[in-house]
């Protein structure tokens, strides 16, 4: 059980890092997909929820500029 928790923690950290890099490169939809993947394992993961919302905000801002 402890091993599973450690693997889960490592997975979440790795995925958060991946999503953060995607977000920095303005690949918001790809970052959202990674956050969704994290939330499949931990649906209470605060960082994923907040950063996913950030991505939606950036997408909306981008769409407003297109109009």
């Amino acid at each position: 059980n402890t091993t599973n928790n450690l693997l889960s923690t490592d997975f979440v950290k790795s995925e958060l890092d991946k999503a953060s890099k995607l977000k920095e490169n303005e690949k918001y939809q790809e970052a959202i997909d990674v956050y969704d993947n994290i939330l499949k394992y931990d649906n209470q993961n605060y960082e994923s929820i907040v950063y996913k919302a950030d991505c939606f905000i950036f997408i909306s801002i981008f769409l407003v500029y297109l109009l």
Side-chain angles (χ1 to χ4, degrees):
N1 197 10
T2 303
T3 302
N4 286 342
N5 288 342
L6 289 174
L7 290 174
S8 178
T9 301
D10 288 344
F11 167 77
V12 169
K13 285 181 182 177
S14 172
E15 292 293 285
L16 283 171
D17 187 46
K18 181 196 304 185
S20 176
K21 289 176 183 166
L22 288 166
K23 204 168 114 179
E24 286 173 15
N25 290 310
E26 299 180 0
K27 295 181 178 183
Y28 302 117
Q29 185 56 58
E30 291 176 52
I32 289 169
D33 294 341
V34 175
Y35 293 128
D36 283 340
N37 197 29
I38 294 168
L39 292 168
K40 286 179 191 173
Y41 290 93
D42 178 7
N43 64 1
Q44 301 289 318
N45 185 278
Y46 176 78
E47 289 173 282
S48 293
I49 294 167
V50 170
Y51 295 147
K52 180 179 173 182
D54 282 349
C55 288
F56 281 116
I57 291 168
F58 286 123
I59 289 170
S60 343
I61 290 168
F62 178 73
L63 291 174
V64 167
Y65 282 114
L66 288 177
L67 298 176

